[in-house]
Amino acid sequence: MNAPRHVFLIDGSGFIFRAFHALPPMTRGDGTPVNAVYGFTAMLMKLLDETDADHIAVVFDTARRTFRNEIYPDYKAHRPPAPEDLVPQFPLMREAAKALNVASVEMEGFEADDLIATYARLARGQGAEVTIVSSDKDLMQLVGPGVTLLDAMKNKIVGPAEVAEKFGVGPDKVIEVQALAGDSSDNVPGVEGIGLKTAAQLINEYGDLETLLAHASEIPQPKRREKLLEQADRARVSKRLVTLRDDVPVPVPLADFRVKRPDPAALLDFIKAQSFRSLIAKAEARLKTAGPAPASPPQTEYVLVQDVEALKTWIAAAKAKGVVAFDTETTSLDSMQAELVGFSLCCEPGRACYVPLAHKARGAPQAAFDFGDGGGMAGGGALVEGQIRKEAALALLKDLLEDDSVLKVGHNIKYDMQILARLGVGIRPIDDTMLLSYVLEGGLHGHGMDELAELYLGRRTIRYKEVVGSGRGQTTFDFVPLEKARDYAAEDAEVTLAFHRVLKPRLAAERLSTVYETLERPLVPILEAMERAGIKVDATQLRALSDDFARRMAALEREIHALAGRPFNLASPKQLGEILFDEMGLQGGKKGKTGAYSTDAGVLEELAELGHDLPGRLLDWRQIAKLKGTYTDALAAQIDPATGRVHTSFAMAATSTGRLASSDPNLQNIPVRTEEGRKIRRAFVAEKGHLLLSADYSQIELRLLAHVAGIDALKDAFRRGLDIHALTASQVFGVPLDGMDPAYRRRAKAINFGIVYGISAFGLARQLGISNGEAARYIEAYFAQYPGIQAYMERTKEEARKGGFVTTLFGRRCHIQGLNDRNPNVKGFAERAAINAPIQGGAADVIKRAMVRLPAVLERAGLKARMLLQVHDELVFEVPEAEARDTAALVKGVMEGAASLDVPLVVDTGIAPSWDEAH
């Protein structure tokens, strides 16, 4: 039998606990918890697909008591028992390894780390490379020639340099440092008062523990000297505890770790028994191959369509099937500038085609492509032979894509709709597999094609950079050779159809059809039209603002240099830190891993609050620099030369709550509470003869909170049209409504909106500039006044912990990760997200319901308004001047009727030549 070449040793316990805490609770049909089993199985399958190792084993821990408890009875004694939901999953983890035909090993009396150390020594003795799959710092002592650690969660290799960064010493000195510093998580005592940093300094100076202890009486620091002399034996015991044994009489020979093909029936039976639907396709794909997943699955046929008759055959087949997956290939991600290069079709599993239209000879000069008849020259570069004339192909394609009897399936089909809309071709009816994934598992993972192919199909798709190159060698898709383009493009369509077959049936089974059919799918053509319409921006105003910002930045720079006593680069955190903390001697300087001081906004704000002028001026400079770079300069550059407008892109699957995200340019983060931000919004204007209409939901999240939490006092206030913030101030602070100090209302407003986001006393204290104790009293008084809110919060957190997600009024699932994390910060963030998600997600659903209804209502009324933007709770329209008031009344009515709540929905409207004035 051949000696091992590459040995993978997987820390099974590490996998188990990371999977358990990373994933939301999951149960199979009989109620058995299986979230850790799912994560363990998925990670193990991924590792098997990606490694070239020829010998692999999962190493498990057994009971807690090992030989180390004989050395030190309290070793790991204070560790809590495993979580109740995890205990029944331990045997299932071993079943998972068995189902995948991966060797597993464990041994009474020894920890998994000792077995790993022993197998690593044996493998190196046979000349093999060793990869230890773990993030456990205790295993870093094994790193050395031919032995590395792989943190699979972060996809990070840990070698000697990374060990030195962690411990301050090389791998050969790790146990010396750990002996001194101890380890509270394992109850390794170490020496009191000595942490990792000090331990590393001492070992670097003295070489090893025994040499240090021999010279302990010479240590100049009295307390350190005393502890080292008193606790020398503790240090020696600690060293024995942290030193991994590499001489364990292993129960399974290394040769038995040889990679073996799993038994198909055993693997599929195990996965189906756990109800892991998303892993079934991946397992089936794995069973078809003996090694790592290839770029395309076996038994696929990708066809290059190069004449009209062949295209007609494919279109006829699509019509006969009634469903076709479709994708475009273009020269750019900017749908307003991109040129169509070709398209792909797939109407049956495993077989797809690519229709090239505008590929050019490599080396031909690139220029703007002529969308004409597709013949002759293209932008100065000769078209390669074997392509259908664009005009003829589009005529045939239009007949298919606008056929109401054929369902067109795309992945982010909004982009393809925009490309073809510019060429006079519509696409209807549609399904979008990106949105199917988003509705089913929003918040659990991304929804890009490459990621979903691995998750749902167990496939590694051809990457875009593998086709067009990267860096200086990158080309556009129109210069990709036809055969290479065929494989990439046809795979996109074929994978999209596979997604559709896996995901669409789950909607009904998981009761999510309504969310997809009424909120997400009908919104696609509406957003496509909004993006194509864009909004006009006054370039002259932007240039004037940029010039004004530049002058103010220059003036601030001079002032800051004067305060510093010398010139320096304001954009350099390193130079700024040196000025503040070394030269000016301000307190509070903290250095990061790079050795530079932290000078983020939080640090500067604290210094400014202490009365230091320079940090405050620097914050002002940064704010103006951001506005100039992100908005006034960038927006001017993003004005489309053909339309004179900017065309933002609305991402439909980017948030966990259903909210849309805006990018290129991002119009959702323009500051609205500062004069500078309002000036930027003033540059967004209506076309001549038109006005901008802003329609904004008033306090929609508080209204939803009153409804879903059942807060009678809040419901009554909203029904009576009272000032909710003033009322809250009166009730919480005990001050009369009449003649109220505005400061009380501001504080109440911060509490009202903060509560929706699960704000902590610490967060409220920072926001209001008060003590933590005072903030805690405010929150306590608020809960006493509105007791139903706290009950809602606890109920929502429990719902999230139980199912792994919370649900909005309209049935949207918002998955929440981190609720079981042992890190209190991560857990706290997850709990706040769980509290907020039904509210923010509900608000997103309400405005989407309105957006879906509005275009048809406007059309029936004969009004010519165009919806241009959605920014959080606001819609912006461009309306003819003569129709402005009628349009505002109609829009207000539709938006206020988008949901039936226990409180009225209220929409504020404004009409003006610019966005700022309308808002």
Side-chain angles (χ1 to χ4, degrees):
M1 185 174 291
N2 293 334
R5 175 182 50 80
H6 184 186
V7 178
F8 243 50
L9 300 170
I10 300 169
D11 175 11
S13 299
F15 258 31
I16 291 169
F17 281 95
R18 294 191 79 174
F20 178 76
H21 292 291
L23 293 174
M26 297 168 59
T27 57
R28 66 187 189 190
D30 63 0
T32 301
V34 289
N35 64 325
V37 184
Y38 175 88
F40 177 85
T41 307
M43 287 190 289
L44 188 52
M45 290 173 71
K46 186 173 187 290
L47 277 175
L48 295 173
D49 284 345
E50 294 179 351
T51 183
D52 65 349
D54 51 5
H55 285 65
I56 299 176
V58 183
V59 187
F60 291 107
D61 280 315
T62 54
R64 291 198 171 193
R65 292 197 64 82
T66 67
F67 73 91
R68 289 181 175 83
N69 295 103
E70 303 300 323
I71 299 171
Y72 187 66
D74 289 337
Y75 178 70
K76 291 190 176 181
H78 71 304
R79 278 199 175 184
E84 185 178 340
D85 283 356
L86 181 57
V87 173
Q89 301 189 62
F90 287 129
L92 293 175
M93 241 74 78
R94 288 158 173 81
E95 286 186 33
K98 184 178 180 180
L100 284 161
N101 211 3
V102 174
S104 63
V105 60
E106 55 194 287
M107 190 175 181
E108 289 286 346
F110 295 94
E111 295 183 52
D113 290 359
D114 299 307
L115 291 170
I116 289 172
T118 301
Y119 282 116
R121 178 183 60 79
L122 294 172
R124 288 300 296 146
Q126 297 184 40
E129 294 290 311
V130 177
T131 299
I132 300 169
V133 184
S134 178
S135 60
D136 188 349
K137 65 182 185 303
D138 295 339
L139 288 164
M140 290 185 178
Q141 62 185 266
L142 302 178
V143 170
V147 181
T148 57
L149 258 63
L150 168 63
D151 185 338
M153 289 288 192
K154 299 178 181 177
N155 196 28
K156 178 183 177 183
I157 295 291
V158 176
E162 289 75 20
V163 174
E165 182 180 351
K166 170 73 176 176
F167 283 100
V169 295
D172 60 322
K173 301 293 184 184
V174 165
I175 58 174
E176 315 288 339
V177 169
Q178 287 183 305
L180 285 170
D183 186 343
S184 59
S185 64
D186 287 344
N187 214 26
V188 175
V191 175
E192 288 179 22
I194 294 183
L196 277 180
K197 187 175 180 181
T198 301
Q201 290 172 347
L202 291 169
I203 295 301
N204 281 324
E205 183 176 353
Y206 290 93
D208 57 50
L209 177 66
E210 287 304 328
T211 303
L212 168 65
L213 295 178
H215 293 82
S217 60
E218 303 167 10
I219 299 292
Q221 297 87 353
K223 285 187 178 180
R224 188 176 299 169
R225 179 176 64 245
E226 180 183 345
K227 292 297 182 185
L228 283 168
L229 290 169
E230 285 180 356
Q231 300 179 13
D233 287 341
R234 273 182 38 153
R236 292 187 177 99
V237 167
S238 296
K239 183 173 179 178
R240 291 177 65 194
L241 294 176
V242 300
T243 301
L244 299 183
R245 290 270 302 269
D246 67 357
D247 59 349
V248 177
V250 292
V252 180
L254 180 62
D256 285 5
F257 294 175
R258 183 171 49 84
V259 172
K260 299 175 285 293
R261 185 179 177 81
D263 174 69
L267 178 56
L268 289 173
D269 285 350
F270 172 78
I271 290 175
K272 289 174 181 177
Q274 314 312 317
S275 303
F276 295 158
R277 288 187 297 268
S278 63
L279 293 184
I280 291 174
K282 185 172 184 177
E284 289 174 338
R286 174 168 178 74
L287 292 170
K288 294 176 183 176
T289 59
S296 60
Q299 300 177 344
T300 56
E301 181 186 2
Y302 295 153
V303 178
L304 202 58
V305 173
Q306 297 176 284
D307 61 73
V308 168
E309 292 306 314
L311 178 56
K312 286 180 179 178
T313 301
W314 277 88
I315 288 176
K319 288 190 173 187
K321 290 285 186 181
V323 179
V324 61
F326 172 77
D327 189 45
T328 58
E329 300 302 336
T330 64
T331 57
S332 169
L333 292 176
D334 183 345
S335 60
M336 293 299 295
Q337 302 292 327
E339 303 160 358
L340 181 65
V341 177
F343 60 88
S344 52
L345 302 170
C346 176
C347 50
E348 61 181 285
R351 190 167 188 269
C353 74
Y354 177 58
V355 185
L357 302 176
H359 285 263
K360 306 171 190 176
R362 191 173 287 278
Q366 298 187 51
F369 181 67
D370 179 6
F371 281 101
D373 64 5
M377 305 289 287
L383 290 174
V384 300
E385 294 182 359
Q387 302 185 87
I388 304 173
R389 288 178 65 248
K390 183 175 290 187
E391 186 179 62
L394 287 176
L396 292 170
L397 187 62
K398 181 181 177 73
D399 179 55
L400 171 65
L401 296 184
E402 295 182 357
D403 186 335
D404 290 333
S405 68
V406 182
L407 178 66
K408 272 66 68 173
V409 183
H411 195 79
N412 189 22
I413 202 169
K414 174 161 64 72
Y415 175 85
D416 307 290
M417 293 171 73
Q418 286 183 310
I419 295 297
L420 290 173
R422 291 170 45 215
L423 299 172
V425 178
I427 307 179
R428 64 175 188 270
I430 63 163
D431 259 347
D432 191 319
T433 51
M434 178 185 75
L435 296 180
L436 287 171
S437 174
Y438 179 59
V439 168
L440 289 164
E441 298 182 350
L444 285 180
H445 50 73
H447 305 280
M449 179 172 287
D450 295 338
E451 182 174 352
L452 294 188
E454 293 191 8
L455 180 64
Y456 295 134
L457 308 179
R459 288 172 55 174
R460 183 190 183 279
T461 51
I462 303 169
R463 303 306 198 244
Y464 185 70
K465 286 185 177 180
E466 295 171 12
V467 178
V468 299
S470 58
R472 292 186 177 182
Q474 183 172 347
T475 185
T476 48
F477 201 83
D478 48 345
F479 282 91
V480 174
L482 295 187
E483 289 75 14
K484 198 173 185 180
R486 172 201 61 204
D487 292 344
Y488 173 81
E491 182 187 63
D492 279 359
E494 189 251 332
V495 165
T496 298
L497 186 66
F499 287 162
H500 193 253
R501 289 177 167 235
V502 170
L503 299 175
K504 189 68 182 284
R506 288 179 55 191
L507 286 180
E510 299 181 33
R511 299 183 179 181
L512 289 166
S513 294
T514 300
V515 176
Y516 177 74
E517 300 291 354
T518 67
L519 293 176
E520 298 300 334
R521 180 163 70 169
L523 195 61
V524 175
I526 292 166
L527 290 175
E528 184 274 321
M530 290 168 62
E531 292 177 4
R532 198 154 32 90
I535 186 168
K536 187 174 182 179
V537 177
D538 188 330
T540 303
Q541 282 195 53
L542 287 178
R543 283 193 293 270
L545 270 176
S546 279
D547 291 344
D548 178 53
F549 288 159
R551 285 191 293 271
R552 291 171 62 184
M553 287 172 65
L556 280 168
E557 185 174 29
R558 289 192 294 272
E559 183 180 353
I560 291 167
H561 286 167
L563 290 169
R566 68 173 178 85
F568 68 99
N569 180 2
L570 272 61
S572 168
K574 182 176 184 296
Q575 292 184 34
L576 175 61
E578 291 168 353
I579 291 281
L580 293 174
F581 302 115
D582 290 340
E583 298 179 21
M584 297 181 68
L586 302 187
Q587 298 299 307
K590 294 180 181 178
K591 290 187 177 181
K593 291 182 179 179
T594 63
Y597 289 104
S598 172
T599 58
D600 61 19
V603 172
L604 297 183
E605 286 168 0
E606 288 181 6
L607 292 172
E609 288 171 4
L610 293 172
H612 301 298
D613 290 336
L614 193 154
R617 298 285 78 76
L618 204 288
L619 285 169
D620 293 340
W621 182 88
R622 283 184 181 177
Q623 174 69 11
I624 296 172
K626 181 178 180 180
L627 290 173
K628 184 177 187 297
T630 306
Y631 294 109
T632 56
D633 292 349
L635 279 172
Q638 288 173 312
I639 297 174
D640 189 296
T643 64
R645 300 161 79 91
V646 294
H647 301 265
T648 189
S649 176
F650 291 103
M652 299 182 70
T655 70
S656 61
T657 60
R659 271 194 169 184
L660 298 174
S662 164
S663 62
D664 302 318
N666 181 352
L667 302 182
Q668 296 183 332
N669 287 344
I670 300 174
V672 294
R673 293 185 178 87
T674 65
E675 179 58 28
E676 289 84 0
R678 289 192 290 272
K679 286 179 181 177
I680 293 171
R681 284 195 171 206
R682 215 165 290 157
F684 289 79
V685 296
E687 291 285 358
K688 186 176 181 181
H690 292 71
L691 294 168
L692 293 184
L693 162 64
S694 167
D696 194 358
Y697 280 110
S698 172
Q699 300 173 342
I700 187 171
E701 292 189 353
L702 285 175
R703 293 171 191 271
L704 279 165
L705 177 64
H707 175 87
V708 300
I711 312 301
D712 290 335
L714 285 178
K715 290 180 187 178
D716 181 64
F718 280 124
R719 288 174 187 144
R720 293 164 58 193
L722 299 179
D723 181 335
I724 197 69
H725 302 313
L727 179 66
T728 297
S730 176
Q731 293 174 331
V732 172
F733 305 132
V735 295
L737 284 168
D738 293 336
M740 179 182 291
D741 184 339
Y744 282 116
R745 186 184 183 279
R746 283 195 298 272
R747 290 187 173 188
K749 183 176 181 180
I751 299 172
N752 273 327
F753 285 116
I755 290 296
V756 177
Y757 288 87
I759 199 167
S760 64
F762 175 77
L764 183 63
R766 283 187 63 90
Q767 190 171 332
L768 296 179
I770 59 179
S771 69
N772 288 351
E774 189 175 2
R777 288 193 294 275
Y778 285 171
I779 293 175
E780 186 178 343
Y782 187 91
F783 285 148
Q785 189 63 44
Y786 303 124
I789 291 180
Q790 193 161 25
Y792 157 76
M793 290 178 168
E794 295 306 316
R795 187 169 67 247
T796 304
K797 287 189 289 186
E798 182 56 30
E799 176 191 347
R801 274 191 288 268
K802 188 175 180 180
F805 58 83
V806 292
T807 308
T808 69
L809 273 177
F810 303 97
R812 180 186 302 280
R813 288 181 183 175
C814 305
H815 291 87
I816 309 294
Q817 300 192 65
L819 287 161
N820 296 314
D821 201 287
R822 286 179 291 183
N823 184 323
N825 293 329
V826 174
K827 183 179 180 181
F829 179 84
E831 288 180 341
R832 291 192 292 276
I835 291 166
N836 173 247
I839 307 300
Q840 189 180 106
D845 290 346
V846 169
I847 201 166
K848 283 182 174 181
R849 285 165 64 92
M851 293 172 73
V852 167
R853 298 174 184 182
L854 275 165
V857 174
L858 289 167
E859 185 177 0
R860 284 197 299 270
L863 297 172
K864 299 181 180 62
R866 292 194 296 175
M867 190 156 43
L868 306 183
L869 300 178
Q870 190 259 33
V871 179
H872 304 311
D873 304 324
E874 176 188 13
L875 295 177
V876 178
F877 302 78
E878 189 170 56
V879 299
E881 289 181 4
E883 300 178 1
R885 293 191 180 279
D886 290 343
T887 303
L890 185 147
V891 167
K892 180 179 174 71
V894 171
M895 291 178 68
E896 291 182 345
S900 178
L901 307 178
D902 292 342
V903 298
L905 284 174
V906 175
V907 172
D908 299 322
T909 60
I911 304 166
S914 77
W915 186 11
D916 176 60
E917 295 168 289
H919 185 77

